[in-house]
Amino acid sequence: QQQVKQSPQSLIVQKGGISIINCAYENTAFDYFPWYQQFPGKGPALLIAIRPDVSEKKEGRFTISFNKSAKQFSLHIMDSQPGDSATYFCAASISSNTGKLIFGQGTTLQVKP
Amino acid sequence: DVKVTQSSRYLVKRTGEKVFLECVQDMDHENMFWYRQDPGLGLRLIYFSYDVKMKEKGDIPEGYSVSREKKERFSLILESASTNQTSMYLCASSLQGSIEEKLFFGSGTQLSVL
């Protein structure tokens, strides 16, 4: 059972464009929603995260939008750059000492020069 | 910086072999995890541990076991490797009670079972 569904599976964007990746979750007990970025040959690394008490969080060119009623959240990459080309994973968890995360299926982003 | 080290980058094994994947972290983290990564399926949790000698099943534990004898080391064991266990295996660690709940990943082990 996939508790976090991510789309699209792949995305091609021109340099300077906006990249948008969407995730939907089922478990209303989830209260932490991070995005991880993975470059080829590397493990994923935390990019940005949000908790459901806010509807948006921005860090530089990266923004998470969160819709609690729809159980959806999305990552927006503004002014996309070739260096942003990577695989992006959304995730969700219930805050606890174990830190267990449920990940989405991943989106491979290619930003063309 | 936290470092999570996985013992092998690439591994080729035969069907039926017993396989050990080792992971070591150097930041005294209580939590450690094993995920497998497959195209189109994302990262799926195999096992995790929140303390020495403690382990809990994740979403896909069948065919795997784990060992955590020391805080810094978490081993994944494939008792009898099968071709459907060909995958990228990622180890991660995190600090218990951290507000950020950040996972630190190793670079992964690409396992091929022939």
Side-chain angles (χ1 to χ4, degrees), chain A residues 2 9 32 36 38 41-44 46 51 89 93 95-106, chain B residues 9 31 33 35 37 40-43 45 48 50 59 90 94 96-97 99-103 105-107:
Chain A
Q2 191 72 42
Q9 188 169 353
Y32 175 67
Y36 279 74
Q38 183 183 32
K42 302 290 186 182
L46 179 65
R51 295 194 183 273
F89 294 96
S93 73
S95 293
S96 69
N97 282 336
T98 65
K100 175 183 166 185
L101 283 178
I102 305 298
F103 284 87
Q105 294 90 332
Chain B
R9 183 74 181 96
N31 301 328
F33 308 83
Y35 286 88
Q37 180 176 2
L41 296 177
L43 278 68
L45 183 63
F48 66 102
Y50 52 89
D59 298 319
L90 289 162
S94 70
Q96 230 171 64
I99 292 175
E100 200 177 30
E101 298 191 41
K102 183 176 179 179
L103 258 61
F105 282 88
S107 295

